[in-house]
PDB file of all heavy atoms in Angstrom:
ATOM      1  N   LEU A   1      52.804 -77.556  42.358  1.00  0.00           N
ATOM      2  CA  LEU A   1      53.152 -76.536  41.406  1.00  0.00           C
ATOM      3  C   LEU A   1      51.906 -75.834  40.905  1.00  0.00           C
ATOM      4  O   LEU A   1      50.903 -76.440  40.665  1.00  0.00           O
ATOM      5  CB  LEU A   1      53.887 -77.144  40.212  1.00  0.00           C
ATOM      6  CG  LEU A   1      55.213 -77.843  40.463  1.00  0.00           C
ATOM      7  CD1 LEU A   1      55.701 -78.522  39.207  1.00  0.00           C
ATOM      8  CD2 LEU A   1      56.234 -76.875  41.017  1.00  0.00           C
ATOM      9  N   THR A   2      51.989 -74.501  40.815  1.00  0.00           N
ATOM     10  CA  THR A   2      50.918 -73.688  40.215  1.00  0.00           C
ATOM     11  C   THR A   2      51.518 -72.846  39.119  1.00  0.00           C
ATOM     12  O   THR A   2      52.568 -72.214  39.296  1.00  0.00           O
ATOM     13  CB  THR A   2      50.298 -72.785  41.287  1.00  0.00           C
ATOM     14  OG1 THR A   2      49.893 -73.568  42.399  1.00  0.00           O
ATOM     15  CG2 THR A   2      49.100 -72.073  40.734  1.00  0.00           C
ATOM     16  N   PHE A   3      50.865 -72.851  37.952  1.00  0.00           N
ATOM     17  CA  PHE A   3      51.336 -72.080  36.778  1.00  0.00           C
ATOM     18  C   PHE A   3      50.326 -70.980  36.451  1.00  0.00           C
ATOM     19  O   PHE A   3      49.150 -71.280  36.189  1.00  0.00           O
ATOM     20  CB  PHE A   3      51.489 -73.023  35.583  1.00  0.00           C
ATOM     21  CG  PHE A   3      52.550 -74.060  35.795  1.00  0.00           C
ATOM     22  CD1 PHE A   3      52.269 -75.253  36.446  1.00  0.00           C
ATOM     23  CD2 PHE A   3      53.833 -73.828  35.345  1.00  0.00           C
ATOM     24  CE1 PHE A   3      53.250 -76.218  36.662  1.00  0.00           C
ATOM     25  CE2 PHE A   3      54.815 -74.806  35.537  1.00  0.00           C
ATOM     26  CZ  PHE A   3      54.546 -75.969  36.189  1.00  0.00           C
ATOM     27  N   THR A   4      50.784 -69.722  36.487  1.00  0.00           N
ATOM     28  CA  THR A   4      49.902 -68.568  36.214  1.00  0.00           C
ATOM     29  C   THR A   4      50.673 -67.580  35.366  1.00  0.00           C
ATOM     30  O   THR A   4      51.869 -67.685  35.173  1.00  0.00           O
ATOM     31  CB  THR A   4      49.467 -67.899  37.524  1.00  0.00           C
ATOM     32  OG1 THR A   4      50.605 -67.387  38.200  1.00  0.00           O
ATOM     33  CG2 THR A   4      48.721 -68.872  38.456  1.00  0.00           C
ATOM     34  N   ASP A   5      49.922 -66.540  34.943  1.00  0.00           N
ATOM     35  CA  ASP A   5      50.580 -65.398  34.339  1.00  0.00           C
ATOM     36  C   ASP A   5      50.909 -64.409  35.475  1.00  0.00           C
ATOM     37  O   ASP A   5      50.622 -64.722  36.642  1.00  0.00           O
ATOM     38  CB  ASP A   5      49.706 -64.756  33.249  1.00  0.00           C
ATOM     39  CG  ASP A   5      48.375 -64.209  33.739  1.00  0.00           C
ATOM     40  OD1 ASP A   5      48.152 -64.125  34.969  1.00  0.00           O
ATOM     41  OD2 ASP A   5      47.540 -63.874  32.898  1.00  0.00           O
ATOM     42  N   VAL A   6      51.485 -63.267  35.155  1.00  0.00           N
ATOM     43  CA  VAL A   6      51.900 -62.343  36.207  1.00  0.00           C
ATOM     44  C   VAL A   6      50.712 -61.729  36.935  1.00  0.00           C
ATOM     45  O   VAL A   6      50.874 -61.221  38.033  1.00  0.00           O
ATOM     46  CB  VAL A   6      52.848 -61.270  35.683  1.00  0.00           C
ATOM     47  CG1 VAL A   6      54.174 -61.846  35.294  1.00  0.00           C
ATOM     48  CG2 VAL A   6      52.240 -60.524  34.507  1.00  0.00           C
ATOM     49  N   SER A   7      49.519 -61.795  36.354  1.00  0.00           N
ATOM     50  CA  SER A   7      48.331 -61.300  37.028  1.00  0.00           C
ATOM     51  C   SER A   7      47.660 -62.320  37.929  1.00  0.00           C
ATOM     52  O   SER A   7      46.661 -62.003  38.596  1.00  0.00           O
ATOM     53  CB  SER A   7      47.302 -60.818  35.975  1.00  0.00           C
ATOM     54  OG  SER A   7      47.860 -59.795  35.169  1.00  0.00           O
ATOM     55  N   GLY A   8      48.189 -63.535  37.946  1.00  0.00           N
ATOM     56  CA  GLY A   8      47.620 -64.590  38.772  1.00  0.00           C
ATOM     57  C   GLY A   8      46.615 -65.464  38.095  1.00  0.00           C
ATOM     58  O   GLY A   8      46.021 -66.332  38.739  1.00  0.00           O
ATOM     59  N   ASN A   9      46.374 -65.272  36.824  1.00  0.00           N
ATOM     60  CA  ASN A   9      45.397 -66.049  36.059  1.00  0.00           C
ATOM     61  C   ASN A   9      46.062 -67.355  35.641  1.00  0.00           C
ATOM     62  O   ASN A   9      47.185 -67.374  35.142  1.00  0.00           O
ATOM     63  CB  ASN A   9      44.900 -65.313  34.805  1.00  0.00           C
ATOM     64  CG  ASN A   9      44.277 -63.975  35.174  1.00  0.00           C
ATOM     65  OD1 ASN A   9      43.506 -63.911  36.128  1.00  0.00           O
ATOM     66  ND2 ASN A   9      44.606 -62.938  34.457  1.00  0.00           N
ATOM     67  N   THR A  10      45.354 -68.474  35.764  1.00  0.00           N
ATOM     68  CA  THR A  10      45.864 -69.757  35.336  1.00  0.00           C
ATOM     69  C   THR A  10      46.022 -69.801  33.837  1.00  0.00           C
ATOM     70  O   THR A  10      45.166 -69.372  33.085  1.00  0.00           O
ATOM     71  CB  THR A  10      44.917 -70.898  35.774  1.00  0.00           C
ATOM     72  OG1 THR A  10      44.773 -70.829  37.194  1.00  0.00           O
ATOM     73  CG2 THR A  10      45.438 -72.256  35.388  1.00  0.00           C
ATOM     74  N   ILE A  11      47.186 -70.280  33.362  1.00  0.00           N
ATOM     75  CA  ILE A  11      47.435 -70.376  31.894  1.00  0.00           C
ATOM     76  C   ILE A  11      47.950 -71.795  31.598  1.00  0.00           C
ATOM     77  O   ILE A  11      48.426 -72.504  32.478  1.00  0.00           O
ATOM     78  CB  ILE A  11      48.441 -69.329  31.428  1.00  0.00           C
ATOM     79  CG1 ILE A  11      49.788 -69.430  32.181  1.00  0.00           C
ATOM     80  CG2 ILE A  11      47.896 -67.941  31.550  1.00  0.00           C
ATOM     81  CD1 ILE A  11      50.868 -68.501  31.651  1.00  0.00           C
ATOM     82  N   THR A  12      47.808 -72.169  30.331  1.00  0.00           N
ATOM     83  CA  THR A  12      48.288 -73.507  29.900  1.00  0.00           C
ATOM     84  C   THR A  12      49.426 -73.414  28.916  1.00  0.00           C
ATOM     85  O   THR A  12      50.109 -74.435  28.679  1.00  0.00           O
ATOM     86  CB  THR A  12      47.126 -74.307  29.265  1.00  0.00           C
ATOM     87  OG1 THR A  12      46.601 -73.560  28.166  1.00  0.00           O
ATOM     88  CG2 THR A  12      46.049 -74.588  30.305  1.00  0.00           C
ATOM     89  N   THR A  13      49.659 -72.258  28.303  1.00  0.00           N
ATOM     90  CA  THR A  13      50.800 -72.072  27.406  1.00  0.00           C
ATOM     91  C   THR A  13      51.458 -70.736  27.706  1.00  0.00           C
ATOM     92  O   THR A  13      50.796 -69.788  28.153  1.00  0.00           O
ATOM     93  CB  THR A  13      50.400 -72.123  25.916  1.00  0.00           C
ATOM     94  OG1 THR A  13      49.466 -71.078  25.680  1.00  0.00           O
ATOM     95  CG2 THR A  13      49.827 -73.461  25.502  1.00  0.00           C
ATOM     96  N   LEU A  14      52.709 -70.682  27.423  1.00  0.00           N
ATOM     97  CA  LEU A  14      53.465 -69.437  27.602  1.00  0.00           C
ATOM     98  C   LEU A  14      53.944 -69.002  26.215  1.00  0.00           C
ATOM     99  O   LEU A  14      54.753 -69.685  25.560  1.00  0.00           O
ATOM    100  CB  LEU A  14      54.641 -69.648  28.521  1.00  0.00           C
ATOM    101  CG  LEU A  14      55.344 -68.418  29.051  1.00  0.00           C
ATOM    102  CD1 LEU A  14      54.346 -67.526  29.850  1.00  0.00           C
ATOM    103  CD2 LEU A  14      56.502 -68.758  29.945  1.00  0.00           C
ATOM    104  N   GLY A  15      53.369 -67.894  25.734  1.00  0.00           N
ATOM    105  CA  GLY A  15      53.696 -67.415  24.423  1.00  0.00           C
ATOM    106  C   GLY A  15      55.053 -66.727  24.345  1.00  0.00           C
ATOM    107  O   GLY A  15      55.658 -66.410  25.360  1.00  0.00           O
ATOM    108  N   PRO A  16      55.512 -66.443  23.106  1.00  0.00           N
ATOM    109  CA  PRO A  16      56.806 -65.759  22.954  1.00  0.00           C
ATOM    110  C   PRO A  16      56.835 -64.433  23.666  1.00  0.00           C
ATOM    111  O   PRO A  16      55.888 -63.661  23.608  1.00  0.00           O
ATOM    112  CB  PRO A  16      56.904 -65.551  21.458  1.00  0.00           C
ATOM    113  CG  PRO A  16      56.041 -66.593  20.820  1.00  0.00           C
ATOM    114  CD  PRO A  16      54.923 -66.777  21.836  1.00  0.00           C
ATOM    115  N   TYR A  17      57.900 -64.208  24.415  1.00  0.00           N
ATOM    116  CA  TYR A  17      58.149 -62.949  25.160  1.00  0.00           C
ATOM    117  C   TYR A  17      57.213 -62.743  26.324  1.00  0.00           C
ATOM    118  O   TYR A  17      57.247 -61.653  26.919  1.00  0.00           O
ATOM    119  CB  TYR A  17      58.173 -61.743  24.206  1.00  0.00           C
ATOM    120  CG  TYR A  17      59.019 -62.016  22.996  1.00  0.00           C
ATOM    121  CD1 TYR A  17      58.462 -62.138  21.722  1.00  0.00           C
ATOM    122  CD2 TYR A  17      60.404 -62.202  23.099  1.00  0.00           C
ATOM    123  CE1 TYR A  17      59.234 -62.405  20.608  1.00  0.00           C
ATOM    124  CE2 TYR A  17      61.179 -62.469  21.986  1.00  0.00           C
ATOM    125  CZ  TYR A  17      60.583 -62.591  20.730  1.00  0.00           C
ATOM    126  OH  TYR A  17      61.381 -62.871  19.635  1.00  0.00           O
ATOM    127  N   GLU A  18      56.416 -63.735  26.678  1.00  0.00           N
ATOM    128  CA  GLU A  18      55.527 -63.600  27.841  1.00  0.00           C
ATOM    129  C   GLU A  18      56.276 -64.106  29.086  1.00  0.00           C
ATOM    130  O   GLU A  18      57.193 -64.899  29.007  1.00  0.00           O
ATOM    131  CB  GLU A  18      54.274 -64.422  27.649  1.00  0.00           C
ATOM    132  CG  GLU A  18      53.305 -63.865  26.649  1.00  0.00           C
ATOM    133  CD  GLU A  18      52.047 -64.668  26.522  1.00  0.00           C
ATOM    134  OE1 GLU A  18      52.012 -65.828  26.989  1.00  0.00           O
ATOM    135  OE2 GLU A  18      51.081 -64.156  25.934  1.00  0.00           O
ATOM    136  N   VAL A  19      55.831 -63.591  30.255  1.00  0.00           N
ATOM    137  CA  VAL A  19      56.387 -64.018  31.530  1.00  0.00           C
ATOM    138  C   VAL A  19      55.326 -64.827  32.257  1.00  0.00           C
ATOM    139  O   VAL A  19      54.180 -64.394  32.384  1.00  0.00           O
ATOM    140  CB  VAL A  19      56.856 -62.827  32.375  1.00  0.00           C
ATOM    141  CG1 VAL A  19      57.302 -63.270  33.750  1.00  0.00           C
ATOM    142  CG2 VAL A  19      57.945 -62.058  31.670  1.00  0.00           C
ATOM    143  N   GLY A  20      55.713 -66.004  32.747  1.00  0.00           N
ATOM    144  CA  GLY A  20      54.811 -66.850  33.529  1.00  0.00           C
ATOM    145  C   GLY A  20      55.377 -66.978  34.913  1.00  0.00           C
ATOM    146  O   GLY A  20      56.571 -66.716  35.189  1.00  0.00           O
ATOM    147  N   VAL A  21      54.535 -67.441  35.816  1.00  0.00           N
ATOM    148  CA  VAL A  21      54.906 -67.624  37.208  1.00  0.00           C
ATOM    149  C   VAL A  21      54.730 -69.077  37.600  1.00  0.00           C
ATOM    150  O   VAL A  21      53.678 -69.665  37.344  1.00  0.00           O
ATOM    151  CB  VAL A  21      54.016 -66.723  38.131  1.00  0.00           C
ATOM    152  CG1 VAL A  21      54.359 -66.937  39.585  1.00  0.00           C
ATOM    153  CG2 VAL A  21      54.158 -65.248  37.724  1.00  0.00           C
ATOM    154  N   ILE A  22      55.769 -69.656  38.196  1.00  0.00           N
ATOM    155  CA  ILE A  22      55.664 -70.980  38.786  1.00  0.00           C
ATOM    156  C   ILE A  22      55.733 -70.766  40.288  1.00  0.00           C
ATOM    157  O   ILE A  22      56.710 -70.217  40.813  1.00  0.00           O
ATOM    158  CB  ILE A  22      56.799 -71.888  38.310  1.00  0.00           C
ATOM    159  CG1 ILE A  22      56.783 -72.111  36.822  1.00  0.00           C
ATOM    160  CG2 ILE A  22      56.719 -73.237  39.030  1.00  0.00           C
ATOM    161  CD1 ILE A  22      57.923 -72.958  36.286  1.00  0.00           C
ATOM    162  N   LYS A  23      54.700 -71.226  40.974  1.00  0.00           N
ATOM    163  CA  LYS A  23      54.663 -71.163  42.425  1.00  0.00           C
ATOM    164  C   LYS A  23      54.927 -72.592  42.918  1.00  0.00           C
ATOM    165  O   LYS A  23      54.194 -73.505  42.581  1.00  0.00           O
ATOM    166  CB  LYS A  23      53.354 -70.621  42.969  1.00  0.00           C
ATOM    167  CG  LYS A  23      53.170 -69.178  42.609  1.00  0.00           C
ATOM    168  CD  LYS A  23      52.006 -68.561  43.345  1.00  0.00           C
ATOM    169  CE  LYS A  23      51.845 -67.132  42.904  1.00  0.00           C
ATOM    170  NZ  LYS A  23      52.182 -66.199  43.931  1.00  0.00           N
ATOM    171  N   VAL A  24      55.960 -72.705  43.719  1.00  0.00           N
ATOM    172  CA  VAL A  24      56.384 -74.008  44.281  1.00  0.00           C
ATOM    173  C   VAL A  24      55.999 -74.015  45.756  1.00  0.00           C
ATOM    174  O   VAL A  24      56.432 -73.211  46.530  1.00  0.00           O
ATOM    175  CB  VAL A  24      57.895 -74.224  44.145  1.00  0.00           C
ATOM    176  CG1 VAL A  24      58.306 -75.524  44.745  1.00  0.00           C
ATOM    177  CG2 VAL A  24      58.311 -74.132  42.694  1.00  0.00           C
ATOM    178  N   THR A  25      55.123 -74.976  46.120  1.00  0.00           N
ATOM    179  CA  THR A  25      54.708 -75.115  47.503  1.00  0.00           C
ATOM    180  C   THR A  25      55.468 -76.201  48.195  1.00  0.00           C
ATOM    181  O   THR A  25      55.553 -77.317  47.671  1.00  0.00           O
ATOM    182  CB  THR A  25      53.162 -75.411  47.548  1.00  0.00           C
ATOM    183  OG1 THR A  25      52.489 -74.357  46.839  1.00  0.00           O
ATOM    184  CG2 THR A  25      52.680 -75.440  48.962  1.00  0.00           C
ATOM    185  N   LYS A  26      56.029 -75.875  49.339  1.00  0.00           N
ATOM    186  CA  LYS A  26      56.795 -76.864  50.136  1.00  0.00           C
ATOM    187  C   LYS A  26      56.220 -76.860  51.563  1.00  0.00           C
ATOM    188  O   LYS A  26      55.849 -75.844  52.081  1.00  0.00           O
ATOM    189  CB  LYS A  26      58.256 -76.491  50.187  1.00  0.00           C
ATOM    190  CG  LYS A  26      58.934 -76.565  48.799  1.00  0.00           C
ATOM    191  CD  LYS A  26      60.398 -76.425  48.855  1.00  0.00           C
ATOM    192  CE  LYS A  26      61.152 -77.487  49.572  1.00  0.00           C
ATOM    193  NZ  LYS A  26      61.146 -78.839  49.013  1.00  0.00           N
ATOM    194  N   GLY A  27      56.174 -78.064  52.138  1.00  0.00           N
ATOM    195  CA  GLY A  27      55.665 -78.196  53.514  1.00  0.00           C
ATOM    196  C   GLY A  27      56.572 -77.550  54.544  1.00  0.00           C
ATOM    197  O   GLY A  27      56.092 -76.957  55.505  1.00  0.00           O
ATOM    198  N   SER A  28      57.858 -77.619  54.343  1.00  0.00           N
ATOM    199  CA  SER A  28      58.810 -77.034  55.286  1.00  0.00           C
ATOM    200  C   SER A  28      59.624 -75.996  54.549  1.00  0.00           C
ATOM    201  O   SER A  28      59.843 -76.101  53.341  1.00  0.00           O
ATOM    202  CB  SER A  28      59.724 -78.076  55.882  1.00  0.00           C
ATOM    203  OG  SER A  28      60.427 -78.752  54.870  1.00  0.00           O
ATOM    204  N   PRO A  29      60.067 -74.956  55.243  1.00  0.00           N
ATOM    205  CA  PRO A  29      60.781 -73.887  54.542  1.00  0.00           C
ATOM    206  C   PRO A  29      62.178 -74.327  54.136  1.00  0.00           C
ATOM    207  O   PRO A  29      62.784 -75.210  54.746  1.00  0.00           O
ATOM    208  CB  PRO A  29      60.842 -72.779  55.604  1.00  0.00           C
ATOM    209  CG  PRO A  29      60.833 -73.506  56.919  1.00  0.00           C
ATOM    210  CD  PRO A  29      59.979 -74.713  56.672  1.00  0.00           C
ATOM    211  N   LEU A  30      62.686 -73.660  53.109  1.00  0.00           N
ATOM    212  CA  LEU A  30      64.098 -73.827  52.773  1.00  0.00           C
ATOM    213  C   LEU A  30      64.917 -73.077  53.830  1.00  0.00           C
ATOM    214  O   LEU A  30      64.464 -72.056  54.357  1.00  0.00           O
ATOM    215  CB  LEU A  30      64.358 -73.241  51.371  1.00  0.00           C
ATOM    216  CG  LEU A  30      63.599 -73.841  50.213  1.00  0.00           C
ATOM    217  CD1 LEU A  30      63.884 -73.094  48.914  1.00  0.00           C
ATOM    218  CD2 LEU A  30      63.994 -75.316  50.032  1.00  0.00           C
ATOM    219  N   THR A  31      66.069 -73.568  54.136  1.00  0.00           N
ATOM    220  CA  THR A  31      66.902 -72.994  55.181  1.00  0.00           C
ATOM    221  C   THR A  31      67.346 -71.576  54.744  1.00  0.00           C
ATOM    222  O   THR A  31      67.967 -71.424  53.691  1.00  0.00           O
ATOM    223  CB  THR A  31      68.143 -73.849  55.468  1.00  0.00           C
ATOM    224  OG1 THR A  31      67.680 -75.171  55.773  1.00  0.00           O
ATOM    225  CG2 THR A  31      68.950 -73.313  56.617  1.00  0.00           C
ATOM    226  N   SER A  32      66.997 -70.598  55.543  1.00  0.00           N
ATOM    227  CA  SER A  32      67.282 -69.207  55.236  1.00  0.00           C
ATOM    228  C   SER A  32      68.792 -69.002  55.088  1.00  0.00           C
ATOM    229  O   SER A  32      69.581 -69.474  55.941  1.00  0.00           O
ATOM    230  CB  SER A  32      66.737 -68.299  56.334  1.00  0.00           C
ATOM    231  OG  SER A  32      66.965 -66.974  56.006  1.00  0.00           O
ATOM    232  N   GLY A  33      69.200 -68.301  54.056  1.00  0.00           N
ATOM    233  CA  GLY A  33      70.610 -67.995  53.788  1.00  0.00           C
ATOM    234  C   GLY A  33      71.335 -69.075  53.038  1.00  0.00           C
ATOM    235  O   GLY A  33      72.445 -68.866  52.556  1.00  0.00           O
ATOM    236  N   GLN A  34      70.753 -70.287  52.922  1.00  0.00           N
ATOM    237  CA  GLN A  34      71.358 -71.379  52.163  1.00  0.00           C
ATOM    238  C   GLN A  34      71.161 -71.155  50.675  1.00  0.00           C
ATOM    239  O   GLN A  34      70.214 -70.509  50.229  1.00  0.00           O
ATOM    240  CB  GLN A  34      70.705 -72.709  52.528  1.00  0.00           C
ATOM    241  CG  GLN A  34      71.080 -73.259  53.844  1.00  0.00           C
ATOM    242  CD  GLN A  34      72.328 -74.084  53.741  1.00  0.00           C
ATOM    243  OE1 GLN A  34      73.417 -73.542  53.699  1.00  0.00           O
ATOM    244  NE2 GLN A  34      72.192 -75.386  53.732  1.00  0.00           N
ATOM    245  N   TYR A  35      72.071 -71.693  49.882  1.00  0.00           N
ATOM    246  CA  TYR A  35      71.947 -71.620  48.408  1.00  0.00           C
ATOM    247  C   TYR A  35      71.321 -72.928  47.905  1.00  0.00           C
ATOM    248  O   TYR A  35      71.697 -74.034  48.337  1.00  0.00           O
ATOM    249  CB  TYR A  35      73.272 -71.374  47.757  1.00  0.00           C
ATOM    250  CG  TYR A  35      73.706 -69.925  47.936  1.00  0.00           C
ATOM    251  CD1 TYR A  35      74.530 -69.551  49.019  1.00  0.00           C
ATOM    252  CD2 TYR A  35      73.290 -68.929  47.053  1.00  0.00           C
ATOM    253  CE1 TYR A  35      74.902 -68.248  49.200  1.00  0.00           C
ATOM    254  CE2 TYR A  35      73.686 -67.617  47.261  1.00  0.00           C
ATOM    255  CZ  TYR A  35      74.474 -67.286  48.321  1.00  0.00           C
ATOM    256  OH  TYR A  35      74.844 -65.983  48.488  1.00  0.00           O
ATOM    257  N   TYR A  36      70.367 -72.776  47.007  1.00  0.00           N
ATOM    258  CA  TYR A  36      69.685 -73.907  46.373  1.00  0.00           C
ATOM    259  C   TYR A  36      69.718 -73.727  44.874  1.00  0.00           C
ATOM    260  O   TYR A  36      69.930 -72.646  44.352  1.00  0.00           O
ATOM    261  CB  TYR A  36      68.226 -73.976  46.844  1.00  0.00           C
ATOM    262  CG  TYR A  36      68.076 -74.284  48.308  1.00  0.00           C
ATOM    263  CD1 TYR A  36      68.058 -73.286  49.252  1.00  0.00           C
ATOM    264  CD2 TYR A  36      67.977 -75.597  48.735  1.00  0.00           C
ATOM    265  CE1 TYR A  36      67.930 -73.570  50.623  1.00  0.00           C
ATOM    266  CE2 TYR A  36      67.841 -75.886  50.093  1.00  0.00           C
ATOM    267  CZ  TYR A  36      67.807 -74.888  51.019  1.00  0.00           C
ATOM    268  OH  TYR A  36      67.689 -75.162  52.353  1.00  0.00           O
ATOM    269  N   THR A  37      69.503 -74.822  44.152  1.00  0.00           N
ATOM    270  CA  THR A  37      69.420 -74.768  42.702  1.00  0.00           C
ATOM    271  C   THR A  37      68.049 -75.237  42.261  1.00  0.00           C
ATOM    272  O   THR A  37      67.588 -76.314  42.655  1.00  0.00           O
ATOM    273  CB  THR A  37      70.480 -75.698  42.069  1.00  0.00           C
ATOM    274  OG1 THR A  37      71.768 -75.292  42.505  1.00  0.00           O
ATOM    275  CG2 THR A  37      70.425 -75.619  40.542  1.00  0.00           C
ATOM    276  N   ILE A  38      67.386 -74.410  41.478  1.00  0.00           N
ATOM    277  CA  ILE A  38      66.133 -74.813  40.872  1.00  0.00           C
ATOM    278  C   ILE A  38      66.416 -75.096  39.390  1.00  0.00           C
ATOM    279  O   ILE A  38      67.153 -74.359  38.749  1.00  0.00           O
ATOM    280  CB  ILE A  38      65.007 -73.765  41.000  1.00  0.00           C
ATOM    281  CG1 ILE A  38      63.690 -74.273  40.402  1.00  0.00           C
ATOM    282  CG2 ILE A  38      65.427 -72.417  40.369  1.00  0.00           C
ATOM    283  CD1 ILE A  38      62.469 -73.405  40.662  1.00  0.00           C
ATOM    284  N   MET A  39      65.847 -76.217  38.910  1.00  0.00           N
ATOM    285  CA  MET A  39      65.979 -76.567  37.515  1.00  0.00           C
ATOM    286  C   MET A  39      64.569 -76.735  36.962  1.00  0.00           C
ATOM    287  O   MET A  39      63.765 -77.485  37.515  1.00  0.00           O
ATOM    288  CB  MET A  39      66.784 -77.824  37.291  1.00  0.00           C
ATOM    289  CG  MET A  39      66.927 -78.173  35.828  1.00  0.00           C
ATOM    290  SD  MET A  39      67.803 -79.724  35.501  1.00  0.00           S
ATOM    291  CE  MET A  39      69.366 -79.362  36.178  1.00  0.00           C
ATOM    292  N   VAL A  40      64.288 -76.057  35.846  1.00  0.00           N
ATOM    293  CA  VAL A  40      62.993 -76.150  35.179  1.00  0.00           C
ATOM    294  C   VAL A  40      63.254 -76.860  33.838  1.00  0.00           C
ATOM    295  O   VAL A  40      64.117 -76.458  33.058  1.00  0.00           O
ATOM    296  CB  VAL A  40      62.383 -74.770  34.969  1.00  0.00           C
ATOM    297  CG1 VAL A  40      61.027 -74.876  34.221  1.00  0.00           C
ATOM    298  CG2 VAL A  40      62.197 -74.034  36.309  1.00  0.00           C
ATOM    299  N   VAL A  41      62.485 -77.927  33.575  1.00  0.00           N
ATOM    300  CA  VAL A  41      62.683 -78.709  32.375  1.00  0.00           C
ATOM    301  C   VAL A  41      61.351 -78.741  31.599  1.00  0.00           C
ATOM    302  O   VAL A  41      60.302 -79.106  32.137  1.00  0.00           O
ATOM    303  CB  VAL A  41      63.065 -80.177  32.710  1.00  0.00           C
ATOM    304  CG1 VAL A  41      63.330 -80.977  31.446  1.00  0.00           C
ATOM    305  CG2 VAL A  41      64.305 -80.196  33.625  1.00  0.00           C
ATOM    306  N   LEU A  42      61.405 -78.338  30.318  1.00  0.00           N
ATOM    307  CA  LEU A  42      60.240 -78.364  29.448  1.00  0.00           C
ATOM    308  C   LEU A  42      60.049 -79.748  28.874  1.00  0.00           C
ATOM    309  O   LEU A  42      60.938 -80.609  28.964  1.00  0.00           O
ATOM    310  CB  LEU A  42      60.383 -77.379  28.292  1.00  0.00           C
ATOM    311  CG  LEU A  42      60.562 -75.908  28.672  1.00  0.00           C
ATOM    312  CD1 LEU A  42      60.633 -75.039  27.401  1.00  0.00           C
ATOM    313  CD2 LEU A  42      59.429 -75.414  29.595  1.00  0.00           C
ATOM    314  N   GLU A  43      58.890 -79.973  28.257  1.00  0.00           N
ATOM    315  CA  GLU A  43      58.593 -81.323  27.713  1.00  0.00           C
ATOM    316  C   GLU A  43      59.510 -81.742  26.590  1.00  0.00           C
ATOM    317  O   GLU A  43      59.666 -82.937  26.371  1.00  0.00           O
ATOM    318  CB  GLU A  43      57.114 -81.399  27.264  1.00  0.00           C
ATOM    319  CG  GLU A  43      56.808 -80.526  26.066  1.00  0.00           C
ATOM    320  CD  GLU A  43      55.372 -80.670  25.632  1.00  0.00           C
ATOM    321  OE1 GLU A  43      54.631 -81.457  26.228  1.00  0.00           O
ATOM    322  OE2 GLU A  43      54.971 -79.959  24.700  1.00  0.00           O
TER     323      GLU A  43
END
């Protein structure tokens, strides 16, 4: 997992009304056209 702001800068907190980016790296691709569910859980 990589956490950045929309400009690509590494950040440690996401302030109110800000947009952050989570980049998920996988060794193999997800099957094209298949439906998947991502769940994000805060602390």
